[in-house]
């Protein structure tokens, strides 16, 4: 039996790597997409059946080329996880409009390019899952998030439109709202006084994405919110 294939964009040292490890442990051959080839090469060696691809998902030509390479090397992905993210802090007067546009290209257009290229094979198969990882910026616009929140809100609405289109065709689309600070090296440095319980663990995020991607089709989720137990919300 051929192993299923999972494609993950934005494979960094945190959530992306945790997702790759979770799906590899679950028997998937994992396509690792990121702009940093050195990081991908190291992870590729650790995960049996995984293969690394350099890809800027904001570039439709690169998405097309990499999608074709994945299909050739591993097969058609049955699960696609859009985890690539562009972000910037600042008010609407402070943020560089070009940075906001760049983040939109990665967060929203990247999801569009991946889905348009890879969903047809899922529709033909009558099954598949597309999951986008987001956060609370997809639901609200705080003053200092003007360079980021608009792009995540657009991403979530795009995912919802996709879910309503693809669901009746057998393809599950879900949006994961991560209402927490992810436990990463840079977040630990930014909030050095915070206890361990303040942070959400990348492995826990990956476990939830795995669960969502494998839900029984009689009980699919779209909006999924996760947060640490002590989070005030």
């Amino acid at each position: 039996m051929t192993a299923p294939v999972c494609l993950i964009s934005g494979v960094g040292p945190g959530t992306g790597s945790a997702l790759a490890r979770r799906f590899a442990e679950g028997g998937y051959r994992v396509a690792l997409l990121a702009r940093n080839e050195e990081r991908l090469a190291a992870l590729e060696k650790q995960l049996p059946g995984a293969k690394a691809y350099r890809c800027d998902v904001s570039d439709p030509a690169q998405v097309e080329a990499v999608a074709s390479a994945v299909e050739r090397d591993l097969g058609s992905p049955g699960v696609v996880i859009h985890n690539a993210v562009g972000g910037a802090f600042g008010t609407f007067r402070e943020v560089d409009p070009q940075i906001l546009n760049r983040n939109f290209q990665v967060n929203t257009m990247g999801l569009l390019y991946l889905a348009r290229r890879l969903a047809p094979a899922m529709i033909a198969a009558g099954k598949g899952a597309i999951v986008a990882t987001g956060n609370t910026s997809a639901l609200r616009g705080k003053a200092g998030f003007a360079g980021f929140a608009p792009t995540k809100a657009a991403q979530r609405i795009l995912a919802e439109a996709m879910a309503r289109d693809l669901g009746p065709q057998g393809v599950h689309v879900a949006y994961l709202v991560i209402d927490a600070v992810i436990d990463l090296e840079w977040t630990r440095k930014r909030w050095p006084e915070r206890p361990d319980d303040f942070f959400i663990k990348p492995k826990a995020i990956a476990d939830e994405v795995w669960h969502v991607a494998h839900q029984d089709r009689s009980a699919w989720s779209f909006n999924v919110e996760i947060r640490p137990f002590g989070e005030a919300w």
Side-chain angles (χ1 to χ4, degrees):
M1 180 178 177
T2 304
V5 177
C6 174
L7 180 149
I8 304 171
S9 72
V11 178
T15 304
S17 290
L19 287 164
R21 296 182 193 284
R22 181 64 186 88
F23 278 78
E25 290 171 3
Y28 279 76
R29 303 191 70 187
V30 183
L32 312 166
L33 275 60
R35 290 180 296 171
N36 186 321
E37 291 181 284
E38 293 183 6
R39 181 186 300 151
L40 290 178
L43 188 61
E44 180 184 39
K45 293 178 181 177
Q46 298 171 19
L47 302 179
K51 190 166 180 59
Y53 302 88
R54 184 184 182 281
C55 183
D56 179 348
V57 295
S58 69
D59 182 344
Q62 290 190 37
V63 170
E64 171 61 35
V66 166
S68 296
V70 171
E71 290 170 337
R72 180 194 64 224
D73 298 337
L74 305 179
S76 295
V79 176
V80 172
I81 304 170
H82 182 42
N83 183 64
V85 60
F89 295 107
T91 68
F92 77 97
R93 288 177 293 179
E94 297 167 342
V95 68
D96 182 341
Q98 293 304 315
I99 291 178
L100 174 60
N101 184 51
R102 169 64 184 163
N103 294 340
F104 183 80
Q105 298 302 315
V106 174
N107 300 341
T108 305
M109 298 304 290
L111 173 62
L112 181 70
Y113 298 145
L114 287 168
R116 285 171 60 94
R117 177 59 178 79
L118 298 167
M122 296 183 183
I123 294 170
K127 62 181 181 180
I130 300 173
V131 181
T133 59
N135 46 51
T136 45
S137 288
L139 305 174
R140 66 190 183 200
K142 298 178 72 173
F145 287 73
F148 179 58
T151 70
K152 299 303 283 188
Q155 182 191 62
R156 191 186 69 80
I157 293 300
L158 172 61
E160 183 173 331
M162 289 165 45
R164 295 185 174 201
D165 183 357
L166 294 175
Q169 301 180 79
V171 180
H172 181 196
V173 180
Y175 195 83
L176 192 75
V177 174
I178 303 168
D179 183 17
V181 176
I182 300 174
D183 194 355
L184 303 169
E185 182 178 354
W186 75 268
T187 58
R188 286 282 183 167
K189 291 179 179 178
R190 181 165 180 170
W191 290 278
E193 77 288 356
R194 295 288 189 171
D196 287 348
D197 289 345
F198 171 74
F199 301 93
I200 191 168
K201 311 302 181 190
K203 182 179 184 305
I205 297 171
D207 285 342
E208 183 57 23
V209 172
W210 171 271
H211 164 244
V212 169
H214 296 88
Q215 287 178 328
D216 187 277
R217 61 193 305 159
S218 70
W220 279 351
S221 299
F222 173 68
N223 269 318
V224 179
E225 298 185 20
I226 55 175
R227 56 181 62 85
F229 70 95
E231 181 76 13
W233 61 285

